[in-house]
Amino acid sequence: MINRRTWCVLAIGLCLVSRNVAADDTPGPAVSDHPSIHETVEKNRGRMVYVPAGDYTISAKIAIHGNGSGLFGPGRIIQTNAEQPIVQIEDAADVELRDLTLTRPGGSQETRCEGVVALRCRNLAIENLKVIDNRSNSAAIALRESSGCRIRSCRVLNYARIAVDDRTASDNYGYAFRCIDGSGIVVTYSTDTLIEGNQVVEQNLLPTREVQQRYELGKFVKKNATKGTLMQQTVWDAERVNNWHQGSAIVVTGPEMSDRTQILGNRIENAAQGIDLHADRVIVANNTVHNAFIGMKAMHGSRNVLIIGNQFSKNDLWAIGLMPGAASHPAIPPSGDAPAREANDDGGSIIANNIISDFGYGNARWIWADANCCPIRFDTGQEPDDPPLRNVIVQGNVIDDRGADGPRYNYAVFIPQGDRAPQGLRFANNLFPAGTRGVSNIPLEP
């Protein structure tokens, strides 16, 4: 039996436990503690600030500094100033931004700024965030020059806008044109990044004929006196391009700098390009990319890319593409004060166990119907000194073609030929139905 004294001791212990749990559950400083979110964040550097349910209108970015700082809670932050990001995190470690909704009202939705921009951060966590109607030719969520950061379980909705893509400063192009532009999640010059379980969806601007005609998409608005070196003469003379659907759902870029990235289990829908890589040692696994004219590509010196277990559906130009780019280059010896540089080449990669379905049945089919459309594409570089793509294993992939009017691709796999053709491609145990011209333009080496 438990005597009265024992019951008292137990009751005191339970009371202390109850108090400790309650103390642990309190959210800490809240935005209501000061006149503005900005002031609350500034006066609580190094602490997480709670944003209760409700709408919080701002006209200047929320700047987060200090290690261990952050914002969390069910509140909705509304940025009315199109010339400002919503949240900017800078030069900080162990910051958290989670559970919030970040958005812009009508009239301020089209912007050149990000929803969230993080600069030079370490161990940043952006989790369970909603970024809605931040329609920018930059990004909804941008991470730059950072390490060990994670972007998880976020929802990015309607991130694209009508814009002008100005390439007049480039000798390769030399023109500017009207386009749909904007990206969902963009990681630049960063290492050890995790991008997992996010939904990146565009519902506002789709590449239909009506949208193209309404905004005169693809039409030149500026043109240099001299044709760009990478421009076809026919396109230059016509003053119109068909790649007017720009941007990507997820971008990891920063050739020769971005390294060790995981892109896992994301849902991507209605993007121009689903996943765009210019980085080394990347894992692209278990993602779904639906209705993008390019499912994914890796180029500009992307080495050691593992593309495994993804679903690519209703892609129209290609689903998976590997190729060198203008940033690829051979090894460069030292010259004057400039040190030697290692080669920035493409390859040493694996494409395995992916499923490509309903190829050619997306919204952009009408744009690319006359192009060399193919589910899997390898290519040569953009410039003469680009080293060829080398050493790629392609195994266990399935192309599932059930279209009533036959395949909507020329070849299941396209491999260009010539002096800079890809080298060391190996194929095994794939199911590749023939396109209108065959399985591949050349025999596939086992």
Side-chain angles (χ1 to χ4, degrees), residues 161-165 175-181 205-222 238-246 366-367:
R161 62 165 293 178
I162 301 297
V164 171
D165 189 332
Y175 66 96
F177 64 103
R178 295 181 60 80
C179 65
I180 296 172
D181 201 1
L205 283 174
L206 303 180
T208 63
R209 293 179 188 271
E210 189 273 333
V211 168
Q212 189 271 332
Q213 292 170 2
R214 183 195 312 169
Y215 297 107
E216 297 185 306
L217 300 174
K219 182 179 179 181
F220 283 16
V221 297
K222 196 186 304 183
E239 299 188 351
R240 184 176 294 276
V241 294
N242 57 3
N243 62 333
W244 45 262
H245 194 188
Q246 292 287 307
W366 68 276
I367 304 169

Side-chain angles (χ1 to χ4, degrees), residues 9-25:
V9 171
L10 287 172
I12 292 170
L14 288 172
C15 181
L16 290 173
V17 169
S18 176
R19 287 180 181 177
N20 286 336
V21 170
D24 289 343
D25 285 347

Side-chain angles (χ1 to χ4, degrees), residues 197-313:
N198 303 287
Q199 299 181 41
V200 186
V201 178
E202 176 62 38
Q203 295 177 338
N204 180 57
L205 283 174
L206 303 180
T208 63
R209 293 179 188 271
E210 189 273 333
V211 168
Q212 189 271 332
Q213 292 170 2
R214 183 195 312 169
Y215 297 107
E216 297 185 306
L217 300 174
K219 182 179 179 181
F220 283 16
V221 297
K222 196 186 304 183
K223 181 178 175 181
N224 292 348
T226 304
K227 180 179 75 69
T229 56
L230 298 182
M231 291 296 299
Q232 296 178 6
Q233 188 65 52
T234 54
V235 175
W236 185 258
D237 294 340
E239 299 188 351
R240 184 176 294 276
V241 294
N242 57 3
N243 62 333
W244 45 262
H245 194 188
Q246 292 287 307
S248 303
I250 296 175
V251 182
V252 180
T253 187
E256 303 181 78
M257 293 291 292
S258 288
D259 201 355
R260 301 182 302 277
T261 305
Q262 299 179 75
I263 302 174
L264 312 176
N266 300 282
R267 173 192 162 211
I268 294 168
E269 189 169 347
N270 301 335
Q273 302 175 100
I275 300 170
D276 193 7
L277 302 178
H278 317 144
D280 296 333
R281 285 172 284 272
V282 184
I283 300 173
V284 180
N286 302 334
N287 303 282
T288 61
V289 181
H290 178 72
N291 198 20
F293 82 84
I294 292 175
M296 71 149 291
K297 76 174 190 287
M299 62 186 300
H300 295 301
S302 292
R303 285 185 286 187
N304 309 136
V305 180
L306 177 59
I307 304 163
I308 185 167
N310 301 283
Q311 290 273 357
F312 295 95
S313 56

Side-chain angles (χ1 to χ4, degrees), residues 359-405:
F359 186 87
Y361 285 86
N363 284 343
R365 163 67 181 176
W366 68 276
I367 304 169
W368 302 103
D370 296 329
N372 184 15
C373 301
C374 49
I376 299 178
R377 182 181 183 91
F378 303 99
D379 215 334
T380 55
Q382 296 175 306
E383 298 179 336
D385 70 338
D386 295 341
L389 173 71
R390 293 186 177 94
N391 303 334
V392 180
I393 292 174
V394 185
Q395 65 178 25
N397 301 283
V398 174
I399 298 173
D400 188 26
D401 177 35
R402 301 189 183 186
D405 57 353

Side-chain angles (χ1 to χ4, degrees), residues 132-183:
I132 300 173
D133 289 326
N134 192 91
R135 303 175 185 179
S136 171
N137 46 339
S138 179
I141 299 174
L143 178 68
R144 300 174 189 151
E145 300 177 64
S146 297
S147 63
C149 301
R150 59 189 185 271
I151 303 169
R152 300 176 62 187
S153 303
C154 296
R155 184 176 184 225
V156 175
L157 178 65
N158 294 339
Y159 54 86
R161 62 165 293 178
I162 301 297
V164 171
D165 189 332
D166 191 341
R167 304 183 180 187
T168 54
S170 170
D171 293 336
N172 290 332
Y173 300 101
Y175 66 96
F177 64 103
R178 295 181 60 80
C179 65
I180 296 172
D181 201 1
S183 295

